[in-house]
Amino acid sequence: AMACGCIPIVSSVGAMPEIVGQTGIVLKKKNISDLNEIISSLVSEYSIEMIHNARNRALKYDIRRRQKLLLDLISSHLTNVTSP
């Protein structure tokens, strides 16, 4: 959704706060009133810059990029292990 420009609202579990970073909102506890406040504030503050920031942040987590980083890491370790 972030890659499409949606502003993320996530719960404070796992890596979600880290993934959205400053581009979204973290719901600290399961509370509908807090969620309503967050949505209301986003409606009034919504901007093109927020869309671009969310999209750019999502691209950091692109599966092809992560796959390449992982394969590069494995390759570098294999090279270090096999080198005398």
Side-chain angles (χ1 to χ4, degrees):
M2 287 171 63
C4 294
C6 294
I7 308 305
I9 301 171
V10 300
S11 59
S12 185
V13 296
M16 294 311 296
E18 178 188 337
I19 291 170
V20 302
Q22 297 299 312
T23 65
I25 307 292
V26 177
L27 184 61
K28 304 285 187 215
K29 59 186 179 189
K30 192 175 183 177
N31 183 305
I32 193 71
S33 296
D34 291 348
L35 180 59
N36 283 331
E37 287 180 32
I38 289 170
I39 292 171
S40 294
S41 69
L42 280 176
V43 168
S44 63
E45 299 171 12
Y46 194 73
S47 70
I48 296 296
E49 182 180 0
M50 292 172 75
I51 293 169
H52 291 291
N53 290 342
R55 186 172 192 293
N56 290 337
R57 180 82 178 180
L59 293 177
K60 289 180 62 177
Y61 293 92
D62 177 74
I63 190 69
R64 290 175 299 268
R65 180 178 180 274
R66 293 186 315 180
Q67 179 183 25
K68 182 183 180 331
L69 290 172
L70 178 61
L71 291 175
D72 289 347
L73 180 66
I74 291 169
S75 177
S76 72
H77 282 291
L78 289 176
T79 302
N80 291 336
V81 170
T82 58
S83 296

